[in-house]
Structures are given as C-alpha cells and as structure tokens.
Amino acid sequence: MSVAAEETTNNFMNGINDAGFGNFSGQIQSLTMSRDKNKYATGDERGDTSTLAFTLNYLSPEYAGFTVGAQWVSSFTLWEHNPNVPINDDFNTLNKAFVNLNMSAYDLAKSNVKMGRFAIDTLLMPDIAPRQKSQSMEGIVFESEDIKDTKLVAGWIYKYSSWSTFTYEDSAAFNYEFTDVSDVAGKDYSTAGTFFVDYTYTGINNLNINVSDYLSEDIFNTVLADVKWEVVEGIKWRNVWAHQDSVGKGNGSYGNDGDLSADFIETSVIFEGKDGAYIRPGIWLVPGSAGGDNEHTFQDLFQSNLTPTFPLMANPYGFLAGTTGYFVEGYSALSKKDWLWAMAAFTDVDNSADTDDYDYDYDAVELNVIYGRQLAKNFSTSVKLGYAWLDDKIGSDDTQAWDARLFLTYQF
C-alpha cells in the first residue's frame, strides 16, 4: 500500500472516530497457504488456498459504565485446491458482540463483566488467530485486577467458535460457527456448557502462580496449575500440571466404556535475553494408555496454549496417552522491524492398551520457523514454515508433512 493511500485511510478512520460515535478499527489480511499431510486424516494428499479477509471492530462510547463491542469477519477465497487440508476457506461471522460493564461505580476500576460473544485469554481458552479469525466464546465472564498482585477470570461458556474455517459438518471441534460445548466435545446430548475460574497471583517474590478449574457439565472437569519461578535473573523454571476426570453423563463415554482420567505434565527452563528474546527447552508427558478400562488421552476442548498446540501442523499430536514429548522453542527480535520464532519437537508415543484392539505407537519430529516483518506503518508480513516426519504413521511406512503460509496484513 502506498504512503498516500495509507495516509488517506488513516485520516478517514480518524475522522469517523473523532465524530463521537465510538471507535472503529480493523484489518485486511491475505493468507496464502499450502499443506501436504501425505493423505493422513483428510484423505487428500495436498491442499492450496489463498484467501482475503476483512475484519471490522467497533467499540461504543461508555455510558454509565456500559460499552458495546462487536467484530465482523468475512473471508473470501481467491483460489483453492482441497481447502480442508490447509483449513483456509470462505466464511462470514459475527465473531464478537458483547455488552461490557466496568465496575468503577463500585470502586473496582479494573473489574469488568462482559456478556455475549467475546475473546478470553487464559492458558486453556486463549485468544489466538492462526488463520483469518480469532477464537471466540459465547457466555458471560468476569475479569478483575483490582486486588493487588492478583488477576481473576471467571465465567460461563455455552458456545465456542474456533479459529478454523471448518463448518459444523466438517468438524464440531474446529469449526468457526458458534457451537454448543457438548457438540465441541462430540457428545450426542445437551449440557449446560463450561463453568470456569482462572486465578493468577504474583505477590510472592520471583513466583508467578496460575491455578484454574474448568467444569464442562456432563463432560469432564479440568484442573490446572502453571508455576513460573525465576531461579536467577534471566532464568525461569516453568512447571505445568493439568488433570481431567469425566463427570456426570461423561462417565463411561471414553475408551472402551471407560472413564476419562488424564494428566498433562510439563517442565521447561526459560533463558531470557534482551528485547523479549528467549530460548525454552522442555519436556511434556501424557501418562497412561488409550482404550482398556480408562481413557488417558488429554482432551484439549478449546484449542489451548499448552505446548503441544504450538507446532503448525499439531504433529505429532502430543495430547495422546502414552506421549513423551521433547521440545525447544525460541524467539528473537532481529531488528526494530523484524523477528524470528522457531521450534523443534520430538515425540515418542507408546499408548498400547492392555487389550488387543488398540495400538497407536510411533515417533515423530516437527520443525517450525516463523518470520515476521513490519513493512510500513500499519502494514506487516509473516512467513510460517513447518516440516514433520512421522514413523509408522500410515500402515508400515514412514510419512512426511509440510506447511507453508504467507500473511500480508494491513491494520487500520
């Protein structure tokens, strides 16, 4: 975009926002993507797509503590081949639509209650947008930072919209449509959704403690603890533990009529440098086996920010029971205008059950690189590349997969 066009766009938006009717913002983003999964899961060997998405955000002026917000996203296909392989296709959605009450009238200036469709940013319900839209929830949430050294997020979610462009017919768990939590979990009955509380405390010297509980009624309950300890300046030790148990009607619906009892365990060391740079090696475990009397595969209901979701292709599917994963990731600002993130993960999966009807054993490696650059004011680009190798994933043969994405983004 030329400098003249950019200034015209900014002046136009400033004129609208200065009129007193609220604040408008948005972005125009192209995503060109190619992915080859060697026929695993999709039945298609390769898919290529290019889409152009328009995002418009609105936030009203405040009146008696109330504001209204909305976000509309429309994505249009420029060209495509097997779009369900890269998961990048057409869609239109009202991604956010909420009423927010700031509680300043009660001397709680940093506390808000929000109802409708909105984003939450916790470890298990992150605000991420790896394609053309961010994840969004439908329900009610209370967020507060009024108590010193404390952040509290609590609420109720009954519908969820993923970042992908799948429809409900393609995938309940990954579709962009707002979908009942019970359908996201693959259940054939209705539930009351998910009730959650997420608490972070930083009042102890050199410690950051995050604990949470997510109760999905008649599905399962997840408790989580995430603790970061700054051992010495520039070095932090992070430990994550999460446990799930089926509840209500969810009992008996996992494995071979078994109950869900799954754990996710991770430990890593973060070596921090200047300007946000870091290197983080670590290991994660999902103990147990799949099938038999119990199901031990960890259920990632809302596309969390746990480490196994970081790789671009989510290979090697690191939430499977019997997984031991080793990883190293790092980030560095190369200059004031560009940055680089990279990750390597090796996973050893051995989740054979005690029965003869389930056997899912393999090794896998995935390598990812993401490069981003600010091209001009409000205009940026990023390139994401991924390669995965899986041992004995399809029949008796090894298989490979790769992923390439080019983003061009203009924000206004």
Side-chain angles (χ1 to χ4, degrees), residues 173-194:
F174 284 92
N175 80 92
Y176 75 87
E177 301 163 318
F178 281 83
T179 306
D180 290 346
V181 170
S182 58
D183 291 322
V184 175
K187 305 306 177 185
D188 59 0
Y189 50 81
S190 297
T191 73
T194 299

Side-chain angles (χ1 to χ4, degrees), residues 31-50 80-89 131 163-167 170-171 174 312-315 317 400-405:
L31 168 56
T32 302
M33 184 173 177
S34 184
R35 171 181 278 186
D36 189 331
K37 299 192 76 172
N38 199 18
K39 298 184 179 179
Y40 174 68
T42 63
D44 298 316
E45 182 172 352
R46 177 175 171 173
D48 310 277
T49 64
S50 183
E80 66 179 28
H81 168 68
N82 292 333
N84 274 358
V85 178
I87 321 178
N88 183 35
D89 206 349
R131 299 288 195 281
W163 48 261
S164 92
T165 59
F166 277 153
T167 64
D170 295 321
S171 168
F174 284 92
L312 298 179
M313 290 169 282
N315 288 327
Y317 301 94
Q400 302 179 70
W402 55 264
D403 186 296
R405 311 175 197 178

Side-chain angles (χ1 to χ4, degrees), residues 9-10 13 17 24-28 54-57 378 410-412:
T9 303
N10 289 337
M13 292 304 300
N17 293 334
F24 291 87
S25 63
Q27 72 173 30
I28 302 171
F54 298 86
T55 300
L56 181 63
N57 307 304
N378 301 340
Y410 175 71
Q411 296 179 319
F412 56 88

Side-chain angles (χ1 to χ4, degrees), residues 134-287:
S134 61
Q135 298 196 145
S136 191
M137 311 293 176
E138 190 167 320
I140 182 170
V141 64
F142 171 75
E143 298 180 279
S144 178
E145 296 185 47
D146 278 296
I147 300 176
K148 183 181 178 182
D149 301 322
T150 294
K151 181 178 180 180
L152 176 66
V153 184
W156 166 59
I157 299 301
Y158 63 94
K159 287 191 177 183
Y160 163 67
S161 170
S162 176
W163 48 261
S164 92
T165 59
F166 277 153
T167 64
Y168 182 74
E169 288 75 17
D170 295 321
S171 168
F174 284 92
N175 80 92
Y176 75 87
E177 301 163 318
F178 281 83
T179 306
D180 290 346
V181 170
S182 58
D183 291 322
V184 175
K187 305 306 177 185
D188 59 0
Y189 50 81
S190 297
T191 73
T194 299
F195 303 86
F196 69 95
V197 57
D198 190 285
Y199 175 80
T200 302
Y201 183 68
T202 56
I204 301 176
N205 194 33
N206 298 329
L207 278 179
N208 183 301
I209 302 171
N210 174 233
V211 292
S212 58
D213 188 7
Y214 293 75
L215 173 61
S216 298
E217 191 244 358
D218 277 337
I219 304 174
F220 54 75
N221 185 68
T222 303
V223 294
L224 178 142
D226 178 10
V227 179
K228 300 184 188 76
W229 173 37
E230 187 170 18
V231 182
V232 296
E233 185 176 358
I235 300 179
K236 294 178 180 178
W237 183 24
R238 181 184 182 187
N239 292 278
V240 180
W241 169 79
H243 177 76
Q244 293 177 329
D245 285 306
S246 51
V247 295
K249 291 183 180 179
N251 289 319
S253 63
Y254 295 86
N256 297 332
D257 296 325
D259 296 339
L260 175 67
S261 181
D263 289 281
F264 175 86
I265 304 166
E266 177 187 298
T267 185
S268 62
V269 179
I270 307 169
F271 300 92
E272 297 178 331
K274 296 181 179 179
D275 300 321
Y278 70 88
I279 295 177
R280 183 172 76 105
I283 180 174
W284 79 80
L285 304 169
V286 183

